[in-house]
Amino acid sequence: MKCSFCKNESILSRSYEGHNYCEKHFIKFFEKRVKKTIRVNKLIENGDKIAIAYSGGKDSSNVLFLLNKIFKNNPKIELFAMTFDEGIKGYRDKIIKRSESFCKELGVKNYVFSFKKEFGFTIDQLSKKLDSGFCGSCGILKRSLLNKKARELKATKIATGHNLDDECQSILMNVLRGDLLRLVRVGPMPMIGIHTKFIPRIKPLVLTPEIESELFAKINNIPFYPKKCPYSVDNPLRGKTEDFLNNLEKSSPGIKYSLYECACKIAPFIKEKFKAGKIGNCRKCGEPSSQEVCKVCELIEKLSP
Ligand code: SF4
Ligand code: ZN
Ligand code: ZN
């Protein structure tokens, strides 16, 4: 098949919009979409100091590469990366080496924080202690540490690598779990709660399907770790939701965009209807929490020897 914009062979077909893309036009299209997402939603503005949550996977590596490309010559915007070492042997240790060298290559400062140092245990240790639920616990610990460390480093926003597929999986999983309130987390700059200690999150790849994210990283020789975390099997609902959505997308191309847009339209109503209660500070650690003791402190207490 030929590219819709030149005579070259196409490498990607977006059948639902009727366009095929060659390598050159795909890169152009991809970058334009990210820039538009940033501009239209005012994700990044002059004076911002952006912390990039950099896991070393394709999506966060693309975010690092693109934000650096777009803003490196803008003296009014600062960027740095943050990597979390959860203590997963044979996985995270391998990724960190590559991540550090990519940051060096781009000239972006990377801060690495380890679970062992911050919480006193690794996810490897946790997996031996719990029969299940360690992936969810890891997520809670990581989200909290990301917000805390970004704040300490004076970041004004946190950029994450969430792509269209991640977003759709979360929407569907929240519906399946009956957790309607979490739907307000959808979108390029979700409101996670009103608290001065919360750093706003931005998702520059929110309109990027996963398959296109992988293609972009490969074409641009962006180093990324291709394997999934060995503990992701601890979250079977996500894997099944992912398969379900991919099958639907095959028979009804564009359905992920429809689901995402639908959730974005519903989110303001949910927010209005269930106006979030006041978020206070955890009695133990002082981090934002809707309960007297936050989930992180609860976990640490449960897991301490
Ligand atoms: Fe942690 Fe789960 Fe992510 Fe692995 S998949 S790094 S256990 S949150
Ligand atoms: Zn072309
Ligand atoms: Zn706490």
Side-chain angles (χ1 to χ4, degrees):
M1 236 185 297
K2 294 278 177 216
C3 172
S4 307
F5 308 95
C6 72
K7 288 179 183 150
N8 291 332
E9 280 301 309
S10 78
I11 55 158
L12 177 85
S13 173
R14 286 174 55 88
S15 54
Y16 39 89
E17 61 170 30
H19 289 149
N20 303 316
Y21 296 85
C22 69
E23 200 171 290
K24 185 183 114 190
H25 283 107
F26 168 65
I27 292 177
K28 212 172 154 185
F29 163 74
F30 190 103
E31 296 191 357
K32 205 171 154 191
R33 180 174 54 196
V34 170
K35 285 181 189 164
K36 192 174 170 193
T37 304
I38 295 172
R39 190 181 65 247
V40 170
N41 301 289
K42 298 188 173 63
L43 299 190
I44 300 177
E45 294 175 298
N46 284 344
D48 267 335
K49 186 173 180 180
I50 310 291
I52 301 164
Y54 177 41
S55 69
K58 60 188 180 323
D59 304 306
S60 62
S61 302
N62 283 338
V63 170
L64 176 66
F65 172 82
L66 277 174
L67 293 191
N68 183 58
K69 186 174 177 182
I70 300 168
F71 297 110
K72 68 178 170 199
N73 294 323
N74 185 337
K76 291 179 180 155
I77 288 160
E78 235 182 286
L79 300 173
F80 65 88
M82 294 171 78
T83 302
F84 295 93
D85 180 0
E86 307 91 342
I88 303 173
K89 217 167 182 312
Y91 173 71
R92 183 59 71 202
D93 42 351
K94 282 187 187 164
I95 301 178
I96 285 180
K97 276 186 199 152
R98 291 187 193 199
S99 309
E100 296 262 45
S101 75
F102 189 45
C103 283
K104 256 189 205 143
E105 195 187 304
L106 297 179
V108 175
K109 172 91 185 140
N110 187 28
Y111 296 89
V112 180
F113 299 101
S114 95
F115 273 29
K116 182 81 186 164
K117 196 167 162 226
E118 301 293 333
F119 302 121
F121 52 83
T122 64
I123 294 300
D124 278 340
Q125 288 170 326
L126 197 62
S127 71
K128 290 188 184 94
K129 230 171 163 176
L130 301 177
D131 289 336
S132 65
F134 39 87
C135 178
S137 303
C138 175
I140 291 172
L141 296 170
K142 202 154 35 182
R143 276 192 296 277
S144 168
L145 197 56
L146 173 63
N147 186 66
K148 187 177 168 204
K149 294 297 176 188
R151 195 180 66 236
E152 286 171 7
L153 291 164
K154 309 238 175 314
T156 54
K157 309 229 171 89
I158 297 171
T160 66
H162 288 93
N163 61 38
L164 178 71
D165 291 59
D166 299 325
E167 202 76 345
C168 287
Q169 287 156 25
S170 297
I171 294 165
L172 208 51
M173 283 163 66
N174 288 333
V175 170
L176 293 172
R177 287 182 180 134
D179 198 348
L180 209 59
L181 261 177
R182 280 190 182 229
L183 276 185
V184 299
R185 294 186 185 182
V186 74
M189 185 151 66
M191 269 311 300
I192 48 172
I194 299 166
H195 194 295
T196 50
K197 286 185 174 177
F198 276 138
I199 309 295
R201 306 276 173 106
I202 57 169
K203 305 174 197 165
L205 300 186
V206 77
L207 293 177
T208 301
E210 183 153 311
I211 181 176
E212 293 180 25
S213 184
E214 185 164 346
L215 192 57
F216 183 83
K218 282 181 177 162
I219 293 173
N220 286 286
N221 291 319
I222 295 170
F224 69 92
Y225 197 71
K227 289 188 185 155
K228 281 190 174 179
C229 167
Y231 296 131
S232 58
V233 288
D234 183 47
N235 191 351
L237 183 58
R238 184 165 286 275
K240 284 181 182 163
T241 308
E242 182 182 2
D243 293 344
F244 173 70
L245 282 166
N246 285 342
N247 281 331
L248 275 182
E249 183 72 29
K250 262 186 216 150
S251 53
S252 311
I255 207 156
K256 290 177 187 169
Y257 279 113
S258 309
L259 177 63
Y260 168 75
E261 279 160 21
C262 178
C264 285
K265 283 179 193 154
I266 294 171
F269 295 102
I270 297 176
K271 208 170 140 194
E272 186 56 36
K273 178 93 181 147
F274 300 96
K275 274 205 171 119
K278 196 173 170 292
I279 298 176
N281 296 322
C282 167
R283 172 168 58 79
K284 289 195 163 179
C285 68
E287 286 300 299
S289 173
S290 51
Q291 308 294 324
E292 202 189 332
V293 174
C294 75
K295 281 190 176 167
V296 172
C297 288
E298 241 179 57
L299 263 172
I300 293 173
E301 200 173 280
K302 198 165 101 186
L303 300 166
S304 331

